[in-house]
Amino acid sequence: QVQLVESGGGLVQTGGSLRLSCVASGAIFRISTMAWYSQAPGKQRELVAQVTSDGRTKYGDFVKGRFTISRENAKKTVYLQMNSLEPEDTAIFFCNVRVMNIIGQTNEYWGQGTQVTVSS
């Protein structure tokens, strides 16, 4: 099994910044893609950002250059630096990781979510 522990969410004013972290542990042979998704009340979960094992990144259109995803492979950790936050960014942010185990199976795991609230 694989466990994901997220941290860094909270309440921030418009224009503020937050840094989310997600640490993976457990039966991990290799981690491929690491990503962050967000889900606002009444809306579907959507991709915020993802980073592949070789460092290629992809962002949701709504990010508009405000967020940066990064990873530390040795620590099995993915980060999301969020700047210029807006009330519309208020959501639960979920860490998502694709993991290969020692026998070559790839599975996808989700964190429990961390609340980000941006006040106007």
Side-chain angles (χ1 to χ4, degrees), residues 42-55:
K43 294 188 177 181
Q44 288 188 333
R45 193 172 297 189
E46 62 181 340
L47 176 70
V48 178
Q50 70 178 35
V51 56
T52 62
S53 58
D54 59 357

Side-chain angles (χ1 to χ4, degrees), residues 20-65:
L20 306 183
S21 300
C22 173
V23 182
S25 62
I28 298 171
F29 178 69
R30 189 173 73 88
I31 298 176
S32 56
T33 302
M34 307 182 84
W36 289 95
Y37 286 75
S38 66
Q39 187 167 19
K43 294 188 177 181
Q44 288 188 333
R45 193 172 297 189
E46 62 181 340
L47 176 70
V48 178
Q50 70 178 35
V51 56
T52 62
S53 58
D54 59 357
R56 288 174 291 131
T57 59
K58 176 183 177 180
Y59 294 92
D61 290 341
F62 65 94
V63 169
K64 300 175 185 176

